[in-house]
Amino acid sequence: DAKTTQPTSMDCAEGRAANLPCNHSTISGNEYVYWYRQIHSQGPQYIIHGLKNNETNEMASLIITEDRKSSTLILPHATLRDTAVYYCIALPYGNNRLAFGKGNQVVVIP
Amino acid sequence: EAGVTQFPSHSVIEKGQTVTLRCDPISGHDNLYWYRRVMGKEIKFLLHFVKESKQDESGMPNNRFLAERTGGTYSTLKVQPAELEDSGVYFCASSQDHRTGPQHFGDGTRLSIL
């Protein structure tokens, strides 16, 4: 599975868009990019996933570069409840073993 | 729709004892997964059920761990005998589609071995 690289931590301003980067330069053609987050004391929460097209749902948008070597998760209007560890995971089609890594500790600042 | 539920939320036992964790997946989800985070480490995959069959148990640490899913509904994870290094948080997840479907997690069972 492709290795992903994220910042260790970042702060975001409440009410502003939060742009969370992820590098996956060795991603292969059949690997999807998944984003999960874990809010303190809760289980991981699925956010969004995509293969090569940009995706949007009620929680976030996922922008994948044309060469698929990196992606950005966008939280359109960050709230204090978005404070969490965010995980970017590259997962081959049909593979179910999510590899969470260390993630990006995102703190939304009032 | 009820989410994935896990029981108990916390368990404290002594080394050498037996503990059984339970997971109820989202209704209709054939795929059920177990993960764990031991102290200071990352969340790691343990195994995957499709209905009552073990599809992938490559992450199970050793034969002290036994997972079952009789009838393809809820699942149990038994640790016997428990060792100190088994302390951590055990998460269960379920999904409809094992190929690309997102996994939905419970809030975990926090297991402490004394």
Side-chain angles (χ1 to χ4, degrees), chain A residues 34 36 38 43 96-97, chain B residues 37 42 56 98 100 103 107:
Chain A
Y34 284 79
Y36 283 78
Q38 187 176 22
N96 306 283
R97 296 185 296 271
Chain B
R37 184 204 296 270
E42 302 162 5
D56 179 356
H98 74 280
T100 62
Q103 296 178 28
D107 284 337

Side-chain angles (χ1 to χ4, degrees), chain B residues 21-35:
Chain B
L21 314 181
R22 173 171 168 144
C23 169
D24 286 74
I26 293 172
S27 178
H29 283 192
D30 287 339
N31 297 277
L32 187 149
Y33 314 83
W34 284 96
Y35 292 80

Side-chain angles (χ1 to χ4, degrees), chain A residues 11-77:
Chain A
D11 294 341
C12 304
E14 184 182 19
R16 306 286 290 272
N19 297 297
L20 282 55
C22 180
N23 286 321
H24 30 80
S25 58
T26 62
I27 197 167
S28 59
N30 72 337
E31 288 187 291
Y32 285 73
V33 179
Y34 284 79
W35 284 84
Y36 283 78
R37 72 181 182 183
Q38 187 176 22
I39 297 169
H40 183 61
S41 296
Q42 297 181 19
Q45 179 187 25
Y46 165 79
I47 302 173
I48 199 167
H49 75 284
L51 183 62
K52 54 184 178 181
N53 297 322
N54 297 337
E55 302 287 344
T56 295
N57 63 20
E58 65 278 5
M59 289 183 68
S61 295
L62 174 61
I63 307 299
I64 302 175
T65 58
E66 192 168 340
D67 63 8
R68 301 210 326 120
K69 292 182 185 297
S70 66
S71 60
T72 300
L73 179 74
I74 302 173
L75 307 177
H77 304 285

Side-chain angles (χ1 to χ4, degrees), chain A residues 4-12 18-23 35-39 47 71-73 75 82-89 100-108, chain B residues 37:
Chain A
T4 62
T5 304
Q6 302 175 252
T8 303
S9 65
M10 60 188 291
D11 294 341
C12 304
N19 297 297
L20 282 55
C22 180
N23 286 321
W35 284 84
Y36 283 78
R37 72 181 182 183
Q38 187 176 22
I39 297 169
I47 302 173
S71 60
T72 300
L73 179 74
L75 307 177
D82 291 321
T83 292
V85 179
Y86 286 76
Y87 298 94
C88 169
I89 302 168
F100 281 88
K102 292 181 170 49
N104 177 5
Q105 173 66 68
V106 174
V107 176
V108 179
Chain B
R37 184 204 296 270

Side-chain angles (χ1 to χ4, degrees), chain B residues 53-64:
Chain B
S53 299
K54 291 176 185 174
Q55 184 77 12
D56 179 356
E57 49 184 328
S58 61
M60 292 290 267
N62 53 61
N63 59 10
R64 295 185 295 103

Side-chain angles (χ1 to χ4, degrees), chain B residues 49-96:
Chain B
F49 282 101
V50 177
K51 297 184 180 179
E52 67 276 8
S53 299
K54 291 176 185 174
Q55 184 77 12
D56 179 356
E57 49 184 328
S58 61
M60 292 290 267
N62 53 61
N63 59 10
R64 295 185 295 103
F65 289 76
L66 175 63
E68 294 180 318
R69 193 183 181 196
T70 307
T73 54
Y74 70 91
S75 174
T76 58
L77 180 65
K78 181 191 290 187
V79 185
Q80 180 182 29
E83 298 291 343
L84 298 178
E85 64 264 24
D86 300 332
S87 294
V89 184
Y90 289 76
F91 295 105
C92 175
S94 70
S95 71
Q96 276 189 317

